[in-house]
Amino acid sequence: MQKKSETSKERDGTYYILHNCGDFTYVHLLSEPEKRNKCPAEMAGNSPDRRKKWILENQGPEGEFYMNGSKAGDVNPYFACMAALGLLAETKNCPITETEKKAVGRYLDWHTGILLETDGKMGIYRKESGKLIYKEKADSEDGYLGMYLFLMGKYLEKTEITDLPEYWKKGISLALKKIQSLMQDGITQVSEENTTVYLMDNLEVWKGLYELEHAGLKDMQAVSEMRKKLQAQIEKLFWDDANQRWRIIENSDLYHQKDFYPDGVAQIYPLIYEFPVKEKKKQKILYEQFTERFQWQKLTKKRNGFLWAMTGMAAAQMGDINNLLEMIRNYEAEYCENRKYPLYTGEAGWICMECEKLYSLYERKIKTGFLV
């Protein structure tokens, strides 16, 4: 049965959203005043509020976000940025609260401090005996720097802050300097020691540069030029025209069709990070192949120790409401009661961002009177 959702206005001013999801159908009734104060994503049971609450509960005293549990656990700045980004997700009826803004600001304080202290070489940290200690080296310096700029740019955009603390300016400057040092011909390598060039890392760097460029700061011409060059190089170096797929590694034909990660995820990574592919049709085909092959929305398998909730962002970019809703419902049913492994705060952050996108999709479709 084809999955459908409809919205309609009854004569008495009551709205309903009908969800026909194959195995069940339900109707959500809302009066006119209720509708004005409830976002469509929330009508479908997909408000980000609960996820945000859990992310906030996992923030430590210095501003750090733990993977899962603030009394003892890991702090991975890469994933912590994802959690913080989730706190910045909003809709016009569900705006960011001051508490959430302050929490992200505190995290950026912590992250920037560590960035400056380590001269841009972030690591993974663990809480032991009440203290955060350095545990191990980050596996991709370029990706970590990209995520920092992604969060910084998004925070500045959402809060409209232009008068930055001096050490934030130094943090941004250091991150850009480090990215430049890792660039060869406009594309970044993993680190000074590891010269491998990955598609996914470069997309994260591109996203960071893009968000910083559009954050409302002055003198972003150099950032814009760096981003444009990277954008051109990504498509030039990583797109395999002969096989109609994305290369995982520059100048490499290695590809395992049945491997979810990195081979499969790499094919939709440009969608996840909203990269402007020149030919949108080819990305649509890759998304459909990925969905058919891996059934990502079911969350039935723990892949590489993660849920990979970020895959839902690709669905959002494709306007695939049905599969995105299915993934969020599966996430709610399986993991949200006990917050058990492999759930972590970064996954919750992606779900929040996807709810934000879901709201926009509903708004767009509601105007036509039919959701497909």
Side-chain angles (χ1 to χ4, degrees):
M1 182 183 296
Q2 186 179 5
K3 298 179 181 180
K4 297 180 180 178
S5 298
E6 295 179 77
T7 183
S8 175
K9 181 177 182 180
E10 303 293 347
R11 292 180 181 176
D12 62 358
T14 299
Y15 287 75
Y16 73 84
I17 288 185
L18 171 65
H19 298 280
N20 186 335
C21 300
D23 297 327
F24 61 91
T25 301
Y26 65 89
V27 177
H28 199 129
L29 293 171
L30 292 170
S31 67
E32 177 76 43
E34 287 176 317
K35 180 181 182 292
R36 286 199 299 268
N37 294 299
K38 207 174 188 73
C39 65
E42 190 172 351
M43 292 180 199
N46 295 311
S47 167
D49 294 348
R50 285 174 293 165
R51 297 153 199 125
K52 285 188 172 187
K53 183 175 181 290
W54 184 62
I55 292 171
L56 290 170
E57 289 171 355
N58 280 274
Q59 185 167 35
E62 298 176 43
E64 73 279 17
F65 284 112
Y66 289 83
M67 296 278 283
N68 190 335
S70 59
K71 292 183 179 179
D74 290 337
V75 177
N76 184 316
Y78 175 84
F79 295 117
C81 283
M82 296 176 182
L85 282 161
L87 294 179
L88 297 177
E90 64 176 342
T91 68
K92 63 183 180 182
N93 294 322
C94 310
I96 306 169
T97 67
E98 287 303 313
T99 298
E100 290 156 1
K101 288 179 185 178
K102 289 178 181 177
V104 178
R106 288 180 59 227
Y107 174 75
L108 281 168
D109 283 343
W110 178 82
H111 192 136
T112 302
I114 295 292
L115 188 74
L116 293 171
E117 183 182 308
T118 61
D119 193 34
K121 292 183 176 292
M122 300 293 294
I124 299 170
Y125 303 85
R126 184 164 186 82
K127 195 171 189 177
E128 293 185 2
S129 301
K131 294 183 179 180
L132 274 179
I133 62 168
Y134 181 92
K135 182 183 176 185
E136 60 186 85
K137 181 181 177 181
D139 57 2
S140 60
E141 288 181 20
D142 56 346
Y144 276 58
L145 292 165
M147 290 304 295
Y148 170 71
L149 293 180
F150 180 6
L151 174 60
M152 179 65 80
K154 185 63 70 175
Y155 177 80
L156 296 177
E157 175 204 334
K158 293 279 189 175
T159 59
E160 299 183 340
I161 292 175
T162 55
D163 186 16
L164 278 63
E166 199 60 36
Y167 64 100
W168 281 22
K169 293 178 184 178
K170 291 180 180 178
I172 293 170
S173 178
L174 177 60
L176 291 172
K177 179 182 176 182
K178 285 295 180 181
I179 287 172
Q180 283 184 310
S181 73
L182 296 174
M183 274 189 169
Q184 299 292 331
D185 297 322
I187 211 89
T188 64
Q189 62 189 46
V190 171
S191 65
E192 293 175 5
E193 302 79 21
N194 186 344
T195 59
T196 309
V197 176
Y198 287 110
L199 167 66
M200 289 185 277
D201 289 16
N202 275 275
L203 286 167
E204 289 159 356
V205 172
W206 175 86
K207 183 65 170 176
L209 295 174
Y210 179 87
E211 292 296 339
L212 186 64
E213 178 187 350
H214 294 86
L217 299 177
K218 295 179 181 179
D219 303 322
M220 285 290 107
Q221 186 59 36
V223 174
S224 178
E225 291 175 3
M226 197 188 313
R227 189 268 306 165
K228 288 175 182 176
K229 187 172 184 179
L230 176 58
Q231 185 169 313
Q233 288 293 82
I234 285 173
E235 198 137 14
K236 177 182 176 182
L237 297 176
F238 290 104
W239 178 250
D240 181 351
D241 199 55
N243 293 298
Q244 291 292 293
R245 64 173 180 247
W246 292 103
R247 294 186 179 93
I248 305 164
I249 303 172
E250 178 191 16
N251 299 323
S252 173
D253 292 326
L254 291 175
Y255 179 72
H256 301 283
Q257 190 178 48
K258 294 182 180 180
D259 287 355
F260 176 82
Y261 177 83
D263 309 70
V265 173
Q267 306 311 310
I268 62 165
Y269 224 65
L271 280 174
I272 292 171
Y273 284 93
E274 302 179 277
F275 182 79
V277 177
K278 291 178 182 177
E279 295 180 35
K280 294 182 180 180
K281 183 179 179 181
K282 67 186 182 185
Q283 194 60 69
K284 180 176 184 293
I285 292 170
L286 289 173
Y287 170 75
E288 290 172 348
Q289 290 173 346
F290 178 80
T291 299
E292 181 180 359
R293 187 169 295 143
F294 297 109
Q295 296 292 296
W296 55 270
Q297 73 277 19
K298 296 186 182 301
L299 293 180
T300 53
K301 296 180 180 178
K302 302 181 184 71
R303 299 179 170 104
N304 300 87
F306 300 108
L307 294 179
W308 290 94
M310 62 161 50
T311 51
M313 189 60 77
Q317 300 306 324
M318 295 305 302
D320 186 359
I321 290 174
N322 294 319
N323 279 323
L324 179 54
L325 275 173
E326 182 178 348
M327 187 203 72
I328 294 173
R329 290 183 183 127
N330 288 332
Y331 168 91
E332 290 281 337
E334 184 68 22
Y335 296 100
C336 284
E337 184 176 351
N338 299 315
R339 309 290 184 186
K340 60 186 179 181
Y341 176 85
L343 179 61
Y344 67 99
T345 50
E347 302 276 17
W350 279 109
I351 294 288
C352 290
M353 290 186 273
E354 288 155 5
C355 285
E356 180 181 43
K357 295 291 185 182
L358 184 61
Y359 176 91
S360 298
L361 290 172
Y362 267 103
E363 286 286 273
R364 194 183 313 157
K365 296 292 186 180
I366 279 173
K367 291 176 181 178
T368 69
F370 188 71
L371 300 175
V372 293

